[in-house]
Amino acid sequence: MKRFRPLTRRGLLIGAGAAATFGAPAFGQGHAMRRIAPNLASDAFTPDVELELICKRDETPILTGKPTRVWRYVGNLIKGPPNALTALPDAYLGPLLRFTKGQKVRIRLRNELPEETITHWHGLHVPMLMDGHPTAAIDPGETYVYEFEIRNRAGMYFYHPHTHEKTATQVYRGLAGAIIVEDAEERALGLPSGEFEIPLVIQDRSFDDDNQLAYGGDMHTSMFGFYGDRVLVNGRSDFTLDVASRAYRLRLLNGSNARIYKLCWDDRTPLTVIGVDGGLLEKAETRPYVMLAPAERLDLIVDFSGRPQGSKLTMLSGEFYGLIPPMAQRMMGSDLAMGEEFPLFTARVTKASNDSWKLPEKLSTIRRFRKDEIANLDDPMPIAITMAHMAMFLNGRPYGHDDIQPRERIPVDTTQLIEIFHEHGGMGGMGMGGMGGMGMGGMQGRGMMGGGMMRGRMGMGGMGRGGMGMGGMGGMGMMSMAHPIHLHGQPFEIIERRFEGDEDAYASVRDGFIDSGLKDTVLVTPGERLRIIKPFGDFKGRFMYHCHNLEHEDAGMMREFSVE
Ligand code: C2O
Ligand code: CU
Ligand code: CU
């Protein structure tokens, strides 16, 4: 495949003194934000695990030569089992947190950065006050105390900032970490554990000649997301894993701002998938490759038994097409085009082992919702994705802290059917001026939010597009890209994935979606229309839903549900 070279100037350099030029989204919405007071520890809460996480500036070796200035989480365990917090030596990534279902956890988040921040526990089902809502951001010097019970099933989760319009840059500078939740159901399986269970956080970064992080804070970055020149695994470049000839459990998290990976082994050994975002599947699935979009997780078993000492197995990101407009590829300024093949990490068999282990047939039980449990079976709640020149919208509107629309109010303890689809901003999508995009977006917004009007309007919209001769996919192809859509709160089931569009491009990704497990983030590729079922249990309050392309999130492709 053709290797695209940057046509635009490299991104801005990030240095300690360059903060002013770095981080302003090209078209952020700039809402006034009403803040809540930092939450304090409660005497009524007796934690099983208590820890402190400090967000601070630091430097760490990444490339040979000069260390890289980063922002990072540094943790201290105050109370609880020693494995609750494991620092990653010589990496900017935050410590690995390990909790057990049912544990009560207190986390003291201290901000020692030069700007406001707040942390979100991605995938954990917690009350709004504990969810890292942007209005809970704390200033430098302040501490926010989180107290919650771990209600999730066993799985890998993700913590990262959720600061208003600063999520992308704060994560990019290094603020991110993984959480592992364990439970009894999973323990009973005897999956590879200890040194045989390896968390792998995949991120892409660009560096300047001085080994410092570079970020393209320009219009194209806001529009399509940031794509780095290098892949880092657990904060390291050229990551290699020394393994014994036995079974391992690899737990992958895509912690990149925008890059989507197509995971496959270089010798074409199929991938054995045992879990996704919301924990274990019911039964393992075998795939030639798996797509991993930002914030998605993947739980793999890889068996090195029978592989000779000295042999190597490399995880690649394979070739794919159609998830980003070709025009954007050329303008993005990364040496690694998204969709070209490149290596992610290598496992090297260095020790013999006689341990033999067999993957159990049944891995877990997933409680599936019945039709009669769904509150809105005939009237799915829409999540319409609009991406036009000056408009990154969900349901026709950009993010606003106090902008709940009627359709976004959800009765607590109900289960909702949700339909996620691309809503093309008409003329905006054809690359006409910004006002065109905005105007269309606004109109769609009113239509969308009108509840029962939705289906009628959709039909008309579809006819309108065809009738205008915009060439269906041809017109859409201009601006259409894949969006990893994330919903806070409880995980969801994917029940339907429909596709209409470029079949050849779709053929390069379609076998890589694992829809049989519980998810909290799902990639919606151009031409796809998905249906999901999501419970909104236990907690009232505002819970965000957004694109996890972090540049899109910061540019306004985020909304919130009011659970009431
Ligand atoms: Cu991982 Cu609302 O985010
Ligand atoms: Cu989240
Ligand atoms: Cu997006």
Side-chain angles (χ1 to χ4, degrees):
M1 188 182 173
K2 186 176 178 309
R3 204 176 157 89
F4 294 108
R5 289 289 166 187
L7 296 179
T8 50
R9 147 187 102 82
R10 262 316 154 74
L12 305 166
L13 303 185
I14 307 174
T21 54
F22 170 68
F27 43 95
Q29 307 300 326
H31 296 283
M33 183 160 73
R34 219 174 305 128
R35 288 259 205 95
I36 61 162
N39 193 56
L40 304 174
S42 143
D43 290 337
F45 186 89
T46 311
D48 302 303
V49 180
E50 179 165 1
L51 50 95
E52 176 183 52
L53 277 183
I54 303 163
C55 307
K56 56 179 275 189
R57 286 180 283 193
D58 202 354
E59 9 174 87
T60 187
I62 300 177
L63 307 177
T64 41
K66 236 187 164 176
T68 304
R69 289 186 293 274
V70 295
W71 290 6
R72 65 184 302 196
Y73 291 106
V74 175
N76 297 305
L77 184 62
I78 299 167
K79 178 185 175 188
N83 76 347
L85 188 150
T86 310
L88 277 89
D90 282 345
Y92 60 79
L93 272 192
L96 176 68
L97 307 182
R98 195 177 279 271
F99 301 134
T100 303
K101 185 173 179 174
Q103 268 178 344
K104 289 186 170 167
V105 176
R106 176 183 285 152
I107 302 173
R108 299 173 177 276
L109 182 82
R110 186 172 161 75
N111 181 4
E112 292 184 6
L113 301 172
E115 65 185 31
E116 60 165 6
T117 196
I118 194 68
T119 295
H120 166 58
W121 321 100
H122 178 122
L124 295 188
H125 177 42
V126 297
M128 178 192 174
L129 208 55
M130 306 303 160
D131 197 40
H133 194 275
T135 51
I138 50 170
D139 282 325
E142 289 186 322
T143 296
Y144 194 99
V145 183
Y146 296 87
E147 291 172 336
F148 52 85
E149 183 190 324
I150 303 292
R151 294 175 173 239
N152 290 69
R153 57 202 295 263
M156 188 191 208
Y157 302 93
F158 179 20
Y159 63 100
H160 63 75
H162 220 300
T163 320
H164 186 55
E165 294 178 351
K166 296 191 181 85
T167 297
T169 52
Q170 292 190 352
V171 171
Y172 186 71
R173 288 173 184 268
L175 293 165
I179 301 172
I180 285 179
V181 172
E182 299 178 351
D183 67 12
E185 182 186 43
E186 183 192 83
R187 264 187 213 134
L189 296 174
L191 296 171
S193 63
E195 61 177 301
F196 308 115
E197 178 196 14
I198 318 241
L200 297 164
V201 180
I202 305 174
Q203 297 174 303
D204 58 338
R205 293 291 184 269
S206 290
F207 295 87
D208 66 15
D209 296 340
D210 203 30
N211 284 356
Q212 303 309 309
L213 293 169
Y215 183 83
D218 59 2
M219 193 66 156
H220 292 127
T221 307
S222 266
M223 190 79 197
F224 301 110
F226 171 85
Y227 301 86
D229 294 338
R230 274 173 188 269
V231 172
L232 305 182
V233 174
N234 294 348
R236 313 247 193 131
S237 164
D238 303 314
F239 189 84
T240 311
L241 200 62
D242 285 345
V243 297
S245 53
R246 54 157 287 151
Y248 278 75
R249 180 179 189 189
L250 305 186
R251 312 196 65 172
L252 290 87
L253 156 65
N254 182 353
S256 309
N257 281 27
R259 188 179 286 276
I260 299 162
Y261 303 92
K262 177 179 176 175
L263 306 171
C264 56
W265 293 115
D266 63 341
D267 69 353
R268 308 297 150 180
T269 298
L271 298 176
T272 304
V273 180
I274 60 165
V276 289
D277 309 354
L280 293 171
L281 307 180
E282 291 172 309
K283 281 198 296 196
E285 290 203 35
T286 304
R287 296 292 179 96
Y289 61 85
V290 176
M291 302 304 297
L292 198 68
E296 285 188 308
R297 286 88 71 201
L298 190 69
D299 206 340
L300 294 178
I301 293 290
V302 51
D303 194 354
F304 297 99
S305 61
R307 290 186 184 262
Q309 279 199 54
S311 64
K312 287 180 181 173
L313 190 60
T314 295
M315 178 74 81
L316 305 174
S317 183
E319 214 169 85
F320 61 87
Y321 311 90
L323 300 192
I324 192 161
M327 159 200 77
Q329 288 278 24
R330 287 188 292 274
M331 294 191 302
M332 268 169 351
S334 167
D335 286 352
L336 275 187
M338 193 165 77
E340 94 175 72
E341 183 179 296
F342 52 84
L344 299 174
F345 62 89
T346 296
R348 192 167 53 188
V349 182
T350 55
K351 278 171 284 185
S353 164
N354 296 321
D355 296 353
S356 67
W357 178 80
K358 215 173 144 346
L359 183 64
E361 172 100 36
K362 179 174 188 306
L363 297 171
S364 77
T365 304
I366 293 178
R367 185 221 187 282
R368 311 237 171 229
F369 291 97
R370 296 186 316 269
K371 277 201 169 136
D372 63 342
E373 293 176 288
I374 300 169
N376 62 334
L377 195 59
D378 302 319
D379 183 26
M381 158 131 35
I383 297 183
I385 307 166
T386 308
M387 182 182 172
H389 209 57
M390 295 291 284
M392 296 280 187
F393 294 159
L394 291 180
N395 287 332
R397 303 175 77 89
Y399 181 66
H401 287 318
D402 263 311
D403 190 41
I404 302 289
Q405 298 299 302
R407 202 64 215 265
E408 292 170 318
R409 297 186 186 280
I410 296 178
V412 69
D413 293 326
T414 58
T415 298
Q416 303 281 330
L417 175 64
I418 301 176
E419 189 160 71
I420 314 176
F421 53 94
H422 303 264
E423 178 101 300
H424 291 280
M427 293 191 252
M430 290 298 285
M432 305 269 290
M435 279 316 291
M438 293 287 247
M440 290 296 286
M443 278 168 52
Q444 285 159 359
R446 283 193 293 277
M448 292 306 307
M449 293 305 170
M453 290 174 64
M454 182 202 161
R455 229 162 326 149
R457 213 206 57 78
M458 281 303 301
M460 294 203 25
M463 284 172 56
R465 281 199 295 275
M468 280 163 65
M470 290 182 54
M473 276 308 286
M476 287 157 61
M478 287 290 289
M479 292 297 258
S480 197
M481 63 183 281
H483 301 272
I485 301 297
H486 168 52
L487 287 79
H488 286 214
Q490 288 166 287
F492 51 81
E493 259 181 69
I494 299 169
I495 57 162
E496 191 180 295
R497 198 185 271 273
R498 272 190 287 153
F499 174 78
E500 198 181 320
D502 181 344
E503 294 285 350
D504 289 342
Y506 198 51
S508 71
V509 298
R510 74 179 312 157
D511 292 334
F513 305 121
I514 310 289
D515 292 345
S516 57
L518 294 176
K519 297 282 291 171
D520 57 51
T521 307
V522 63
L523 187 65
V524 184
T525 72
E528 275 188 324
R529 177 177 286 267
L530 267 61
R531 286 189 161 198
I532 66 173
I533 301 177
K534 179 179 152 66
F536 291 81
D538 308 318
F539 306 124
K540 294 182 180 178
R542 298 196 175 172
F543 293 92
M544 286 165 280
Y545 63 102
H546 59 90
C547 182
H548 221 287
N549 174 316
L550 296 182
E551 284 74 22
H552 287 180
E553 174 187 332
D554 283 348
M557 199 177 270
M558 173 158 90
R559 296 284 310 162
E560 50 192 17
F561 290 121
S562 174
V563 181
E564 42 200 46

